[in-house]
Amino acid sequence: MYKAASLRTTFAILALACGQAMASPAPYSSLIVFGDSLSDAGQFPDLTGASAGMRFTNRDANGNFAPVSPMILGGKLGVSATDLNPSTSLGVRPDGNNWAVGGYTTQQILDSITGTSRLVIPPGNPGAGTVLRERPGYLANGLRADPNALYYLTGGGNDFLQGLVNSPTDAAAAGARLAASAQALQHGGARYIMVWLLPDLGQTPNFSGTPQQGPLSQLSTVFNQALVSRLATVDAEIIPLNVPVLLREAIASPAQFGLATDQNLIGTCYSGNSCVGNPVYGLNGSNPDPTRLLFNDAVHPTIAGQRLIADYAYSILAAPWELTLLPEIAHASIRAHQDELRNQWQTPWQATGQWQAFVATGAQDLDFDSQRSSASGDGRGYNLTLGGSYRLDDAWRLGLAGGVYRQKLEAGQQDSDYKLDSYLASAFAQFRQDRWWADAALSVGHLDFHDLKRTFALGVNERSEKGDTDGEAWAITSRLGYNLAAEGSTWQLAPFISADYARVKVDGYDEKSGRATALGYDDQERTSRRLGAGLLGSVQVLPSTRLFAEVAREHEFEDDQQDVNIRLTTLPANDFTLTGYTPDSNLTRASLGVVHELTPGVNLRGNYNWRKSDELRQQGVSVALSVDF
């Protein structure tokens, strides 16, 4: 039974990593790891010969070690397996970018960055202190960090286990040393650094239920307080992982994470190495299965714990890939509203001094393709628009319109749901004289983002974090054209130029749960400035029926990559900024419509609208009825 369960686990992890690497955004050039045994990818040789390197987690049915969290995370981010190799292994594999070594203290972690990286047998093992290999540290001899890579940093536990931390002062000093490693990376040019908070050592099989449990839990807290305080001063995007809170949630609600609900998850382990082997799911238990337990040995996680932490890290990195689409769906509402106005402007003008009222309803489809730093998304929406116009004289028609637009966007690998209600109002003017014509509209609106549900994988299950927020929008659209045919002709063809400006603000908000995975977001603003050129044409196919069409090519001047400032709600002072969606520089839009006069002064209109850029497709249909009076 152990072999079957382990094989299932191995194949599931490989399929997950490969599938996500193929489909996910890949914003980082590589993943570069520093730390201790919690992240060691296999620096030491596996003396059994079953694996390319020894890792500090459970073995599978073939005797190979399960991956550690940065290996799983790297697979999700599309980082090559070679990049994730150990940095200083003994020739079994080519050197990679994982500099973490089992047994490293915070000082040794710092040395592996700025001084010398040594593969040294840790205390408590045969040959302790023997250096098996050494090489210059990552930034030694003036080398520079890759600013486009993601750096991953763990450490601190060995300072406790090796007797270097015996007081709050010692714990604070160790936390500050780990932060110094992040500082050194930043000084070397690193921009994105992910840092674990130290797990609660009192809540591990090594110390649970012993007199040391309480003091070690307290000292772990002191370590993390010093670490978080120092990290807040580092001038880089420091992404903290609140691992102690996450593991506390797993222990409190094991069923949510696929862990055993009827076992002591912190007093027992899988391997039985320096701890009490679990009698059911342990290696020598009645139903061996490391995926049901949190700890492999006295202090190291099983594959279940490693995957849980990797998923947690990925959920934070992926959040801006989805959240930066919120301003984009607001812009989509504005564009749909403007399309509705432009289509309505094709209805025959009423007589001078008369009013024309209209009502329109429609539906939209919105598709975002994934980018290097944004997720794919599919949107659906519908709208109701009411308005009216007054004809001042032969040359001018003025009007007002208001619309309600409802959208739902599904984005990301777990189909997160984001909903938006847009309330838009516009004032517009139309001009025509001889063969010249022009139109313009000013729109303002309130945005109600509600039921925002970010969903992500977390262990064997999914988790959702929810929130609500508001926003505002305003926009100007204008066109100037010239009719090639005389007024009264059965056909018209008019080249035109266009100018558009739109600004959307999405207010910041916090996800509500208060859990380790809940995030808070600052305000987002997205401005669009476009110039375009196009053709507008129409033909009278029947005395009461006219077809019209429009095609235009527009250039977007505000095409910088969007970003969002984020924080864990459990660590509100440690914010960081990550990138997301990049607007396209050019888009093509087109529309096709028909206007049919039911009776004099009463017109029925139908339209199809389409726009496309490299990663965005928006289309919609609408019908409208207008009445002159």
Side-chain angles (χ1 to χ4, degrees), residues 191-508:
R191 289 192 299 166
Y192 304 103
I193 308 171
M194 179 169 276
V195 184
W196 280 38
L197 272 65
L198 180 68
D200 183 351
L201 295 179
Q203 295 292 309
T204 62
N206 200 52
F207 300 108
S208 176
T210 72
Q212 297 170 287
Q213 177 176 344
L216 279 175
S217 292
Q218 294 174 358
L219 291 177
S220 298
T221 299
V222 173
F223 176 98
N224 285 329
Q225 288 171 342
L227 173 63
V228 167
S229 177
R230 285 288 299 273
L231 289 176
T233 68
V234 178
D235 186 20
E237 307 307 335
I238 304 295
I239 307 160
L241 294 182
N242 204 337
V243 174
V245 171
L246 180 69
L247 296 184
R248 201 154 55 232
E249 293 169 7
I251 293 167
S253 302
Q256 295 181 14
F257 303 92
L259 301 173
T261 59
D262 58 349
Q263 301 295 312
N264 184 347
L265 295 178
I266 61 173
T268 63
C269 70
Y270 173 72
S271 68
N273 183 14
S274 301
C275 63
V276 177
N278 188 271
V280 178
Y281 299 111
L283 177 61
N284 298 310
S286 58
N287 185 23
D289 187 352
T291 67
R292 305 302 305 279
L293 300 175
L294 194 56
F295 288 97
N296 174 62
D297 55 26
V299 292
H300 299 107
T302 60
I303 180 56
Q306 293 284 4
R307 179 181 174 186
L308 180 63
I309 294 167
D311 286 346
Y312 175 37
Y314 188 75
S315 75
I316 297 172
L317 298 174
W321 306 344
E322 299 178 12
L323 270 294
T324 51
L325 295 179
L326 295 185
E328 300 307 316
I329 62 174
H331 276 281
S333 290
I334 294 172
R335 292 191 295 263
H337 181 68
Q338 293 172 337
D339 286 342
E340 196 64 70
L341 294 178
R342 281 190 288 265
N343 292 330
Q344 180 59 31
W345 294 340
Q346 301 307 311
T347 58
W349 286 28
Q350 66 271 38
T352 299
Q354 282 194 317
W355 292 88
Q356 183 181 91
F358 70 89
V359 57
T361 185
Q364 297 85 40
D365 177 89
L366 184 65
D367 290 321
F368 294 98
D369 291 337
S370 62
Q371 300 178 337
R372 185 175 179 86
S373 290
S374 71
S376 60
D378 296 315
R380 303 290 184 272
Y382 55 92
N383 67 277
L384 176 66
T385 306
L386 303 172
S389 62
Y390 178 77
R391 185 168 181 179
L392 292 174
D393 52 33
D394 284 347
W396 288 95
R397 182 164 75 163
L398 306 179
L400 297 172
V404 178
Y405 292 76
R406 289 197 164 182
Q407 290 193 71
K408 177 182 178 180
L409 178 71
E410 292 184 351
Q413 294 178 346
Q414 268 64 43
D415 290 332
S416 300
D417 287 335
Y418 302 100
K419 296 178 182 178
L420 168 63
D421 290 346
S422 304
Y423 304 91
L424 302 172
S426 295
F428 63 85
Q430 290 179 266
F431 169 83
R432 67 184 187 187
Q433 188 168 25
D434 298 326
R435 297 189 180 187
W436 290 97
W437 60 270
D439 49 47
L442 170 65
S443 304
V444 296
H446 172 73
L447 308 174
D448 178 13
F449 293 92
H450 59 94
D451 298 329
L452 304 178
K453 187 171 73 170
R454 181 175 62 92
T455 303
F456 46 90
L458 195 62
V460 298
N461 293 317
E462 294 181 349
R463 173 179 281 190
S464 294
E465 295 290 354
K466 302 176 182 179
D468 303 286
T469 190
D470 294 318
E472 58 189 42
W474 72 275
I476 299 173
T477 183
S478 61
R479 298 182 298 180
L480 173 64
Y482 182 80
N483 286 321
L484 300 180
E487 187 176 358
S489 172
T490 58
W491 64 273
Q492 294 287 339
L493 187 63
F496 65 86
I497 58 174
S498 63
D500 291 87
Y501 178 89
R503 177 182 174 273
V504 164
K505 178 186 176 186
V506 180
D507 295 339

